[in-house]
Amino acid sequence: MYIEIRPAYEPLRDWLQTVPALFAAQQGRVLYDGRNQIRLFEHDKLQLVVKRYKRHDIVKRIVYTYFRKNKAHRSYENAGELRRRGFLTPHEVAFMEERCCGTVRQVYYVCLYTNAQPIRPRLIEQEPFDRELAAAYACYVAKLHDDGVLHRDLNPTNVLYTMSEKNYLFELIDINRMRFFDGPVPKAECMENLTLFYWLTPAYRFILDEYARQRGWTEDNIAEAIRVKERHDKAWIRRKRITHLFRNK
């Protein structure tokens, strides 16, 4: 098994070698169990989160061995780049690759545990939504985009928050799909990225207005962003209907 570890966590190498066996023995506390599985472990006074990605099929094994970095590898590198640009994410510890017949079969990403909570309950599930948190979140996303950071899965479960001296601190997770720019993210891509928050709800419109104020957008820009959002939501509904139709057949 190939392992790449941040130097500060090199003493964990022997334990990291046992991670596949720990998953096989169903050790650790399950935090998420779906397409991928996430477990929480405690070792050497550290709380460690390990994400085991879905096992690759033969096509992805070839792609991730010869042509593209796998998701665990990208998460590991993106975490370092986020922190370099001044944004928080649970500190990366390592990524690991299990190989079979010379190709990457299974990958794992390891990071430190965080107590931060997702923004979704207070911005989507709560009625009325938390306007203070929504405003802080809008400012945060504006800062991300202004500093050239594009999280391609910027949904409200992948942004966590904590309070610090009456200020909100945000952390990004599920960071394998990201793009970094030398300057600000192009406006068209910002608009598409904002669509990932949720439906076109009052919370979305409030966040868009505050985001636009932070970025100096005009009323025309806001109107275009809403049109982008409407097209995105309609396309998403069509895809879901088609997927549901094929599943039923």
Side-chain angles (χ1 to χ4, degrees):
M1 182 166 66
Y2 174 78
I3 303 178
E4 185 167 330
I5 309 173
R6 288 296 185 219
Y9 301 103
E10 184 61 34
L12 296 176
R13 181 174 292 272
D14 288 344
W15 180 83
L16 290 168
Q17 294 276 3
T18 71
V19 163
L22 293 174
F23 268 81
Q26 299 185 359
Q27 298 295 305
R29 178 160 65 91
V30 176
L31 301 180
Y32 176 80
D33 191 6
R35 189 167 182 269
N36 309 306
Q37 189 177 87
I38 303 175
R39 289 179 177 265
L40 174 64
F41 299 91
E42 293 192 16
H43 177 75
D44 198 23
K45 298 182 180 179
L46 291 175
Q47 288 187 299
L48 300 161
V49 174
V50 183
K51 182 172 186 177
R52 183 183 68 181
Y53 290 88
K54 181 182 178 181
R55 181 169 291 186
H56 298 152
D57 58 29
I58 186 61
V59 174
K60 288 184 178 179
R61 284 169 65 170
I62 293 171
V63 169
Y64 288 137
T65 300
Y66 300 109
F67 302 106
R68 191 180 180 194
K69 294 174 181 177
N70 62 67
K71 293 179 179 181
H73 191 169
R74 296 201 304 268
S75 294
Y76 179 83
E77 291 191 342
N78 289 344
E81 181 63 17
L82 278 171
R83 287 187 293 99
R84 189 185 73 79
R85 292 180 182 233
F87 297 100
L88 298 177
T89 188
H91 201 294
E92 74 282 9
V93 173
F95 77 91
M96 299 175 288
E97 301 174 348
E98 285 187 298
R99 297 191 171 222
C100 179
C101 302
T103 59
V104 177
R105 179 179 62 176
Q106 186 100 65
V107 296
Y108 303 80
Y109 174 63
V110 187
C111 65
L112 298 184
Y113 177 74
T114 176
N115 288 315
Q117 297 298 307
I119 63 173
R120 181 184 176 95
R122 289 176 60 182
L123 297 189
I124 293 175
E125 298 169 7
Q126 175 179 304
E127 183 63 40
F129 66 90
D130 186 325
R131 295 172 70 90
E132 185 178 284
L133 178 59
Y137 170 72
C139 294
Y140 171 71
V141 177
K143 176 67 172 170
L144 282 175
H145 290 170
D146 202 44
D147 287 356
V149 178
L150 186 70
H151 190 317
R152 293 189 178 276
D153 199 6
L154 192 68
N155 67 61
T157 60
N158 289 337
V159 182
L160 312 180
Y161 76 94
T162 53
M163 285 289 292
S164 176
E165 297 179 355
K166 297 185 179 181
N167 293 319
Y168 288 100
L169 296 177
F170 294 97
E171 299 181 48
L172 293 176
I173 59 172
D174 204 0
I175 56 174
N176 73 88
R177 297 177 62 239
M178 302 199 72
R179 185 177 176 188
F180 298 98
F181 294 80
D182 291 334
V185 178
K187 188 174 292 182
E189 296 202 45
C190 292
M191 291 182 181
E192 287 290 345
N193 200 223
L194 289 168
T195 66
L196 302 178
F197 172 72
Y198 197 57
W199 299 108
L200 193 54
T201 60
Y204 175 85
R205 290 177 179 270
F206 178 89
I207 289 168
L208 175 60
D209 286 344
E210 180 59 31
Y211 173 96
R213 190 178 70 82
Q214 293 292 323
R215 300 295 309 278
W217 282 12
T218 65
E219 289 298 323
D220 287 343
N221 295 148
I222 295 173
E224 176 60 22
I226 290 175
R227 288 193 291 271
V228 169
K229 175 61 174 168
E230 289 172 340
R231 290 196 297 267
H232 171 274
D233 289 356
K234 289 177 181 177
W236 189 90
I237 291 170
R238 285 197 299 270
R239 287 196 302 272
K240 286 299 179 180
R241 285 175 176 170
I242 292 170
T243 301
H244 183 71
L245 178 63
F246 278 99
R247 283 178 179 174
N248 286 343
K249 289 184 176 180

